[in-house]
Amino acid sequence: MKLIFQIYLKFLAKIILKKFRPKIIAICGSTNKSTAVAAMARVLSPQMEAAASPKNFNAEIGIPLSILRIVPEGASKIERWSSIALRALQQVFSLKTYPKIILLEFGMHAPMDAEKALSIATPDICIFTNLAPSILSHTDKSEQYNKTFSYFLRRLPKDTALITNADDPHLEELAQFFPDKVSRYGQNPPSDWKLSEITDTDSGQEFNIARNGEIFQVKIREFGLHHAYIAAAAFALSSELKLDLKKIQQEFCK
Amino acid sequence: MQPLRTQNIGLSLIKEMELRGSKIPGVVSLAQGIPSFETNEHIKKAVIESLSLHNIGKYSLSPGLLELREMVEEVLRKDGISYDHNNEIIVTAGSIEGLAATLLAILEKGDEVIIPNPSYAAYAEAVRVAHGVPIFIDLHKNDNWALSIDALEKAKSAKTKAVIICQPNNPTSHIYPESTIRELAEWAKNNNYFLIFDEVYKDFNYTAKPIFHLAKDSKYRGNAVYLRSFSKAFSMTGWRVGYILACKELAREILKVHDSLVTCAPVISQYAAMAALRYQDELINDIMIQYRKRRKITLAHFNKLGDYFECTAPDSGYFFFPKILFKNSGSKKTAIEILEKAKVNIVPGIAFGPAGEGYLRFCFGRSEEDLNEAFTRLKNYFHNSL
Ligand SMILES: Cc1ncc(COP(=O)(O)O)c(C=O)c1O
């Protein structure tokens, strides 16, 4: 039953993608995906509307539902399959316009998951948050992650733009599988989007994001280093989408 | 055996009443604060699934499963609160372990902790376990249990280290207004005291106003610790899982104690907590409908006992805390008499600190059947014997 439901949703999602051809942005990694999707959708929105993943769904259901722009009732997840199935069908007929881009959380734990996610949507841009922390939390996952993500990277089309965390050693270990077009963010070389001067303040964090001598000062309300990394990744994404980076900076500082 | 320090630490009166009650057949207990509900099916199902998917038989990292902490961070973000899941969120074995770990981390021997009372019975004992000295100040019983800064000011000394605030409060079930919390926070910041907020009833709100969380204001991060729990709103008292929010400098210290106490919260319960957060909006909505109903039923019963008790409907939690109007010789004796004669177990107000004397606490988290039976017995008892 679950399988039929998944195939059905995938089929409808593909119709939508074919019809509107949004740019697909996959957010991958072991943690911080939802936080990244939310932050990116927010800072991009004044310049470019983005469809974004509803929260905490696994990839097989989450990706199609995001594409179909369905947020299950009550903001989350205890809705009957039958009613979701009906709404999905209605969406195919009722959606008349569609955002130019879609941010999709690609949650993957095994090569099989990568295969399934890619069979629904092929990313134009792929952003990696990090791989390291979850490996620490469950030691035996390390090898599994390596297998999964090397498989995923190999399966990406060669012209996919990859945005990746230069400071994550586990990601850098996979560099041989990266597509041709890569931009890195982080505090260490070889970051193209270099984070520096990260400081905690009473009301959040301040830091600089620099690229080719151009420096953006960013202030955010969130605490935790990963938010600075997400901001840097958002700059890299915005540049890839040819957006006005000054406006992105302003959105972060709001 | 040598005399031990802990000999001066009591078991709470709540537990004592439960123990007494367990020896009398046929007692209906409205004493201990346990929801009668089963843990929700969706949570149980997710746990069963996690048993087959993950190696749940292993320790997690000491601060808890990364995935759970990340979820907590996200849930907080929706409420306008920012804590870093890498350094500022610790998953604990219930909030009481969080409290013990916090107190053990911050207190030196003889340090004083101010406890506005009546409040949760276990605070004073936890302070004593951590070599501290509890200092009670009275909440204003005639002013909806208001907290006054004057009373705090009078209670402070060179040894004061922290204040424990139960927001919303148990047993009074009142919610401190934003103005009080802000005043308190300023006072604590100026004096450089820690504020420990016990927020285990944060999802229970029968009023139209949202509950104010100081965590939204990052100005006070350095002074505040927040204790939260899955026990109450998700009917998960036995899973033993909750979490602490504290700035990273403080969390680092608390983590050392937490590690010595429990290594990590039970991993299977951490998976249950993830499911609870995933479904939290629906689960809390559904359960609150039930609690509202039970609150209404209980209030109707109390209205019929108006000659014996004066009570207002609770704003939060699952307790009524009525004032005793009949002649009595102390809340403890009264509670024991009611237990023995009416076979209804309740908690004497004195269990919650000296200001609780003259009151009794009734838990309405029990089944409607139990509530109705308990009040039938109480009515018979009062009408026949007083
Ligand atoms: C106010 C208050 N704090 C803490 C606790 C303990 O909760 P936990 O199960 O999270 O340890 C209780 C339980 O009755 C309580 O009423």
Side-chain angles (χ1 to χ4, degrees), chain A residues 2 30-36 38-39 55-56 72-79 109 133-141 145 200-204 221-227, chain B residues 40 42 49 54-56 58-61 64-67 69-71 73-74 77-78 82-88 189 218-219 221 248-249 267 271 277-283:
Chain A
K2 199 170 166 188
S30 54
T31 55
N32 302 324
K33 294 188 290 293
S34 304
T35 310
K55 296 200 159 294
N56 297 323
E73 304 264 283
S76 65
K77 290 114 269 182
I78 312 175
E79 199 181 348
H109 301 283
S134 199
I135 291 165
L136 290 175
S137 98
H138 268 107
T139 38
D140 52 353
K141 272 189 186 168
Y145 265 116
D200 277 355
T201 66
D202 259 2
S203 58
R221 282 168 172 277
E222 288 82 15
F223 292 86
L225 198 55
H226 54 293
H227 292 285
Chain B
N40 185 279
H42 291 284
E49 203 172 305
H54 307 282
N55 188 347
I56 59 96
K58 270 189 181 174
Y59 300 124
S60 70
L61 284 178
L65 290 172
L66 185 72
E67 293 84 346
R69 281 180 284 136
E70 200 189 343
M71 272 179 103
E73 183 185 312
E74 271 175 45
R77 180 159 43 83
K78 280 195 241 159
S82 176
Y83 276 87
D84 172 8
H85 68 271
N86 288 308
N87 301 303
E88 303 184 322
K189 194 172 163 67
S218 53
K219 187 173 158 195
R221 301 178 113 238
K248 65 179 170 211
E249 293 78 11
V267 172
Y271 279 100
L277 289 181
R278 189 167 307 131
Y279 304 129
Q280 77 164 355
D281 294 344
E282 290 87 337
L283 296 185

Side-chain angles (χ1 to χ4, degrees), chain A residues 90-254:
Chain A
Q90 285 167 342
Q91 284 294 80
V92 172
F93 293 104
S94 61
L95 279 175
K96 296 282 181 269
T97 58
Y98 203 84
K100 283 213 170 57
I101 57 170
I102 176 159
L103 294 160
L104 292 172
E105 227 179 278
F106 270 42
M108 297 175 281
H109 301 283
M112 194 55 164
D113 299 334
E115 187 64 47
K116 282 181 190 157
L118 287 169
S119 76
I120 307 167
T122 314
D124 299 289
I125 301 173
C126 182
I127 302 172
F128 268 92
T129 52
N130 49 6
L131 289 188
S134 199
I135 291 165
L136 290 175
S137 98
H138 268 107
T139 38
D140 52 353
K141 272 189 186 168
S142 170
E143 212 174 296
Q144 181 77 353
Y145 265 116
N146 226 309
K147 254 200 231 155
T148 305
F149 289 103
S150 58
Y151 178 85
F152 173 74
L153 286 163
R154 270 181 283 147
R155 288 272 283 101
L156 284 178
K158 270 284 160 226
D159 58 351
T160 311
L162 180 73
I163 296 171
T164 182
N165 182 344
D167 296 348
D168 187 315
H170 300 272
L171 276 171
E172 282 304 311
E173 236 172 54
L174 300 173
Q176 55 178 310
F177 306 113
F178 287 175
D180 298 338
K181 197 173 176 191
V182 184
S183 55
R184 290 178 166 84
Y185 60 91
Q187 300 184 70
N188 301 313
S191 301
D192 307 292
W193 297 87
K194 191 168 178 333
L195 272 168
S196 63
E197 323 266 325
I198 307 173
T199 36
D200 277 355
T201 66
D202 259 2
S203 58
Q205 300 177 86
E206 290 176 11
F207 46 86
N208 290 343
I209 297 173
R211 186 207 37 182
N212 297 339
E214 197 178 3
I215 297 177
F216 299 92
Q217 287 182 331
V218 181
K219 261 191 205 171
I220 57 174
R221 282 168 172 277
E222 288 82 15
F223 292 86
L225 198 55
H226 54 293
H227 292 285
Y229 278 81
I230 288 171
F235 270 79
L237 170 65
S238 306
S239 162
E240 190 62 41
L241 295 171
K242 311 219 166 5
L243 301 179
D244 181 345
L245 298 182
K246 279 259 171 299
K247 286 192 181 149
I248 298 294
Q249 177 191 24
Q250 282 162 12
E251 277 309 306
F252 269 116
C253 296
K254 256 186 190 168

Side-chain angles (χ1 to χ4, degrees), chain B residues 277-293:
Chain B
L277 289 181
R278 189 167 307 131
Y279 304 129
Q280 77 164 355
D281 294 344
E282 290 87 337
L283 296 185
I284 291 174
N285 260 341
D286 288 354
I287 208 87
M288 283 309 134
I289 292 170
Q290 305 296 326
Y291 279 118
R292 277 178 195 279
K293 202 166 154 200

Side-chain angles (χ1 to χ4, degrees), chain A residues 23-81:
Chain A
K23 219 175 210 162
I24 295 170
I25 297 148
I27 317 286
C28 315
S30 54
T31 55
N32 302 324
K33 294 188 290 293
S34 304
T35 310
V37 166
M40 289 172 183
R42 180 175 71 78
V43 298
L44 295 181
S45 64
Q47 297 185 67
M48 186 178 261
E49 191 200 350
S53 292
K55 296 200 159 294
N56 297 323
F57 259 109
N58 60 21
E60 289 138 88
I61 296 182
I63 293 176
L65 286 186
S66 306
I67 295 168
L68 290 158
R69 311 211 73 188
I70 291 179
V71 180
E73 304 264 283
S76 65
K77 290 114 269 182
I78 312 175
E79 199 181 348
R80 301 264 299 274
W81 286 3

Side-chain angles (χ1 to χ4, degrees), chain B residues 33 94-96 120 123 166 170 198 200-201 229 231-232 240:
Chain B
S95 64
I96 198 73
Y120 184 45
Y123 296 153
C166 191
N170 167 9
D198 177 350
V200 306
Y201 295 104
S229 176
S231 290
K232 309 293 176 173
R240 308 310 302 133

